[in-house]
Amino acid sequence: MARTDSRIGQSTVIRGTIRGAGDIDLHGRIEGTIDVDGDVTVADSARVKAPVNGGRVVVRGAIAGNVKGKESVVLEEGARVVGDLAAPSIGIRRGGLLRGHVASGEHADRAPTSVAARATRPATTQRTAPAAAPSQKKAEPKSEAKTEAAPKLVEPTASPLTKPARTAPAPVMPALQKGAKAALKKKAR
Amino acid sequence: MATTVIGQGITIEGEVSSDEEVVVAGTVRGKLQVDGPVTIESGGVVEADVGATSVAVSGTVTGNVVASDRVDLLTGGRLVGDVKAARVTIADGAVFKGNVDMDV
């Protein structure tokens, strides 16, 4: 097919959806979604903030988003991907950086159910722990975190004690019994 | 070849902005803002407001076109919308519906 290949130049910014048939070379900035049947090449100057779906995807630039290839996904030198990779064939060359989940071969199609479901549960607890740790190291948030955590621990134990005081203060005057007023009047006479 | 080419079969929905030449052989819907020349090739479809230094239309444009330099509606081109440019040419056989504003 004599299609003109598509090319998004270095100084071009696209906000929105790119879809259709044909190969595409990305050199610029794309925010949105990329859904193409043909080959997708993300050049080293490209900054992609979008899920990328293509036939064969070759990455030498930066992608924030999941990358899915019907045939293959290859991260070459200079690739920086934050997101999950899924394709029947996946390659990460020396110098390619990735933070995310990889599902290749037969797992590519059912990655979210089988592999990822098992992997994400421990991963989420692991991921949240390092994420919280650096913020506590910044001195000030640490004390905040402690003060925040402390009342939470104290409250449940303290609340049963404080509750009676909250409802109504104990009467200062003793409540008069039935007939007490009449008795007082009799005494006064 | 420091250009942007939106090839045949590719559709972009959204905002395209660039500082270099843009060639549209596919479809663009939304907005096309280029600090450079724009060429809409035969078969190219632009359903968007177009801003550029110069615009050459051999395909179909639906939307207003503003060019700092010139707009050329070439043979086989089809333009529905208002045109604002210093110079405008409309070739024999081109289809055009809209207003022309040429800073008289």
Side-chain angles (χ1 to χ4, degrees):
Chain A
M1 277 178 261
R3 282 201 195 95
T4 42
D5 286 351
S6 299
R7 182 185 192 277
I8 306 303
Q10 198 169 343
S11 75
T12 298
V13 181
I14 293 177
R15 284 195 187 84
T17 314
I18 301 175
R19 60 184 166 78
D23 302 348
I24 188 162
D25 281 9
L26 308 175
H27 296 256
R29 266 175 50 199
I30 291 100
E31 288 175 26
T33 57
I34 298 166
D35 211 333
V36 180
D37 284 342
D39 300 353
V40 179
T41 307
V42 180
D44 52 0
S45 62
R47 302 285 178 274
V48 178
K49 209 180 259 184
V52 178
N53 294 299
R56 283 180 294 182
V57 185
V58 177
V59 185
R60 296 187 197 98
I63 298 178
N66 297 343
V67 183
K68 210 168 179 182
K70 284 201 187 78
E71 275 185 50
S72 66
V73 172
V74 177
L75 308 193
E76 298 200 333
E77 190 180 349
R80 285 145 292 160
V81 177
V82 179
D84 299 347
L85 306 184
S89 160
I90 286 178
I92 301 177
R93 306 258 182 273
R94 182 190 287 265
L97 305 177
L98 169 69
R99 195 161 83 216
H101 193 73
V102 177
S104 64
E106 61 194 42
H107 301 295
D109 297 332
R110 51 197 176 90
T113 51
S114 61
V115 184
R118 254 180 276 149
T120 46
R121 268 176 209 165
T124 45
T125 52
Q126 281 169 1
R127 274 181 196 171
T128 48
S135 66
Q136 283 182 351
K137 275 178 191 170
K138 285 170 191 165
E140 281 172 26
K142 192 178 182 179
S143 60
E144 275 179 66
K146 267 192 177 175
T147 47
E148 267 179 20
K152 271 179 194 169
L153 286 171
V154 173
E155 247 182 330
T157 53
S159 56
L161 294 171
T162 50
K163 255 183 189 170
R166 236 184 242 171
T167 48
V172 179
M173 294 283 288
L176 294 176
Q177 281 183 335
K178 201 180 176 185
K181 253 188 181 176
L184 282 169
K185 274 183 184 173
K186 272 185 185 172
K187 271 186 186 175
R189 280 177 197 169
Chain B
M1 198 185 83
T3 56
T4 291
V5 181
I6 293 145
Q8 207 181 335
I10 295 289
T11 301
I12 295 181
E13 279 171 9
E15 200 175 305
V16 179
S17 60
S18 182
D19 296 339
E20 62 197 2
E21 189 189 349
V22 173
V23 178
V24 181
T27 303
V28 175
R29 290 197 191 93
K31 197 178 170 191
L32 182 55
Q33 189 69 44
V34 181
D35 192 6
V38 169
T39 306
I40 293 124
E41 292 190 341
S42 177
V45 177
V46 174
E47 291 170 11
D49 289 343
V50 181
T53 56
S54 65
V55 180
V57 182
S58 304
T60 303
V61 176
T62 308
N64 299 331
V65 178
V66 178
S68 57
D69 184 22
R70 61 188 298 131
V71 172
D72 296 313
L73 186 51
L74 306 169
T75 308
R78 190 184 167 86
L79 174 53
V80 179
D82 297 346
V83 174
K84 184 175 164 59
R87 286 176 286 176
V88 175
T89 64
I90 301 175
D92 190 10
V95 178
F96 175 55
K97 186 182 179 189
N99 291 319
V100 177
D101 183 351
M102 288 172 71
D103 305 321
V104 179

